[in-house]
Amino acid sequence: MMTQHFDDALLAEFNQLFNDNPLSDSPYFIGMMSGTSLDGMDAVLCEFFDEGEQAVNVVASHSLPFPDDLKSALLALTQPDGTKQYITKHGLGFESELDVFGWASVYYANFASQVVLELLDKANIDAQAVSAIGCHGQTVRHRPQWSFSLQLLDPNVLAERTGIAVVSDFRRRDMAVGGQGAPLVPAFHRAMFQDPTIKAVLNLGGIANITVLGRDGLVQGFDTGVANLLMDAWIHQHQGVGYDKDGNWASSGTVVQPLLTLLLEHPFFAKTPPKSTGREEFHLGWLQDNLNQLGLTHPNLAISPADVQATLAELTAQSAANAIKELVTDGILIVCGGGALNTHLMTRLQAHLPHLTVQSSAKSGVSPILVEGMAFAWLARQTILGRAGNVPAVTGADKEVVLGQVCF
């Protein structure tokens, strides 16, 4: 019943049942996001105005890095057979991957609760004033070819600890009607970026996805490939830090063209939309396989770790630009996500897209690291109001549907 369109009588019944506090009456929603890079969790408290879905104000935001033990569990769960080594190292009585998944689901929800409660304290807003939390959870397996996507989160714990309704499990309703369940942010991009000179939005999280904003509200969108995922993993492996600040390490290296050519041969880049991807296809093991292959074909080629980082940055810029220039011929390209803070990556994008103005979402008054969190606040609001949250032209779904499940 929760996933059907709410009519007025049904919504009134829900409001009567749950604390006589009409969920749709409060303008406050919280959006949460922890991306493919596994660098931490962001929460954004948003205020929406009247019926203008694009009219949103960020009241406050809060971020916390993942605890090491949770991050290592999530990383293990995202890799096939990744929990075998994790269980051997950490013990805790785990006997299988399902044990790790269940334990991490509760841990993740408790950690998310901490982030929310600290956010509310920062904003000086009571939990009862918030209609709902939109929490995507952590994607640990995304297999659109088999019509399933698995997000790790126990929304019951999050709802209980915070006292706020939780909307989660956003992807699977879209998949139930033939979609890939991703990307989900293009609907929000359409609502948020109303300037007609803005022709596209590129989100550079762990994975890169593009939203093309056409005339009359028409939207196209899909994942273009890897973004920060491999760059973050590579620099962590070699320098022990979480990310390449400003792209300084990448800019110190030289692009290895034979390696870039090998990486761009990944079959995902040749697929036609709708398409979505994740760690299942782009991971350090895949990168190492390509480095090994390059060593066989170019045995005398000297490559430094910085050169590999430069090549990974170029892979992100070139693969995204290849997709964008086929669809957008002029105007502004808004870039959001952590990659918008990478000066070197932004420079390379502009070099590949000279016909566009490449700029951070900050120039539109929206912090690039908050856009995805805002999107899930908006998606939670869509669900509570009984409105569709997917874009069939983007995900490949047969029709628009209300996304997510509600835990009151």
Side-chain angles (χ1 to χ4, degrees):
M1 182 171 64
M2 292 301 192
T3 53
Q4 301 301 312
H5 193 288
F6 291 145
D7 60 24
D8 291 341
L10 185 56
L11 185 57
E13 182 180 345
F14 282 141
N15 290 334
Q16 174 95 29
L17 285 171
F18 298 99
N19 303 322
D20 291 324
N21 179 25
L23 291 176
S24 61
D25 280 4
S26 172
Y28 297 111
F29 288 79
I30 292 173
M32 306 193 75
M33 188 63 191
S34 59
T36 318
S37 292
L38 294 174
D39 49 358
M41 189 178 296
D42 302 322
V44 187
L45 176 62
C46 297
E47 181 182 13
F48 293 89
F49 302 102
D50 301 321
E51 292 302 313
E53 294 166 6
Q54 76 278 10
V56 55
N57 174 50
V58 174
V59 178
S61 63
H62 189 55
S63 300
L64 286 177
F66 278 126
D68 289 341
D69 52 350
L70 177 57
K71 181 174 181 177
S72 60
L74 295 174
L75 184 59
L77 285 162
T78 61
Q79 302 174 47
D81 294 326
T83 56
K84 289 182 179 179
Q85 183 178 355
Y86 178 84
I87 290 172
T88 300
K89 181 178 180 181
H90 292 84
L92 298 178
F94 297 144
E95 296 179 357
S96 71
E97 187 173 53
L98 287 177
D99 291 339
V100 181
F101 181 90
W103 172 83
S105 296
V106 176
Y107 193 162
Y108 183 100
N110 278 311
F111 179 63
S113 302
Q114 176 188 345
V115 177
V116 168
L117 293 174
E118 291 183 10
L119 170 68
L120 293 174
D121 185 62
K122 180 187 288 188
N124 196 27
I125 288 181
D126 192 88
Q128 292 184 344
V130 180
S131 281
I133 299 167
C135 188
H136 174 260
Q138 185 66 46
T139 299
V140 294
R141 200 75 54 168
H142 183 64
R143 299 293 196 191
Q145 69 272 30
W146 298 325
S147 299
F148 88 84
S149 187
L150 190 59
Q151 281 70 49
L152 180 147
L153 166 71
D154 188 337
N156 304 280
V157 173
L158 180 55
E160 186 64 29
R161 298 288 181 271
T162 61
I164 303 172
V166 175
V167 186
S168 62
D169 194 14
F170 288 94
R171 296 198 190 280
R172 292 194 294 175
R173 186 63 193 278
D174 178 82
M175 297 181 117
V177 290
Q180 295 207 4
L184 294 178
V185 292
F188 172 70
H189 290 160
R190 175 175 59 189
M192 183 68 193
F193 297 104
Q194 298 287 311
D195 185 338
T197 64
I198 297 174
K199 300 300 180 65
V201 182
L202 176 65
N203 177 57
L204 294 175
I207 296 296
N209 56 71
I210 182 69
T211 301
V212 179
L213 303 171
R215 296 179 180 177
D216 301 322
L218 296 176
V219 175
Q220 294 174 275
F222 50 91
D223 288 352
T224 64
V226 68
N228 300 313
L229 193 161
L230 286 176
M231 288 187 287
D232 290 352
W234 185 254
I235 196 171
H236 183 266
Q237 179 174 299
H238 288 272
Q239 297 191 0
V241 296
Y243 66 99
D244 188 2
K245 182 174 173 58
D246 296 324
N248 289 332
W249 195 40
S251 64
S252 73
T254 301
V255 173
V256 182
Q257 193 59 50
L259 175 60
L260 179 62
T261 299
L262 272 178
L263 298 178
L264 285 169
E265 289 176 357
H266 192 296
F268 177 81
F269 297 120
K271 287 182 180 178
T272 56
K275 60 179 183 176
S276 55
T277 190
R279 282 184 179 271
E280 296 82 4
E281 296 189 83
F282 296 102
H283 48 81
L284 279 181
W286 170 74
L287 173 61
Q288 190 60 56
D289 287 345
N290 280 278
L291 286 169
N292 293 342
Q293 183 177 342
L294 187 67
L296 294 174
T297 57
H298 296 73
N300 298 320
L301 187 61
I303 305 174
S304 72
D307 294 338
V308 175
Q309 187 76 351
T311 306
L312 292 175
E314 194 67 11
L315 173 68
T316 296
Q318 190 167 321
S319 58
N322 288 345
I324 292 166
K325 60 190 176 187
E326 292 184 4
L327 299 170
V328 185
T329 58
D330 60 6
I332 296 173
L333 171 68
I334 293 291
V335 183
C336 56
L341 305 180
N342 186 320
T343 306
H344 174 70
L345 185 54
M346 292 288 281
T347 299
R348 295 309 303 148
L349 276 169
Q350 185 64 81
H352 284 293
L353 297 167
H355 57 295
L356 300 180
T357 300
V358 178
Q359 65 184 44
S360 166
S361 63
K363 289 200 172 182
S364 297
V366 185
S367 169
I369 61 173
L370 299 183
V371 173
E372 280 198 294
M374 293 171 68
F376 281 95
W378 183 86
L379 284 166
R381 182 172 184 259
Q382 292 293 99
T383 300
I384 294 300
L385 294 176
R387 299 174 181 171
N390 65 332
V391 180
V394 171
T395 66
D398 298 331
K399 61 181 180 179
E400 291 186 342
V401 286
V402 180
L403 303 177
Q405 299 186 39
V406 185
C407 185
F408 287 94

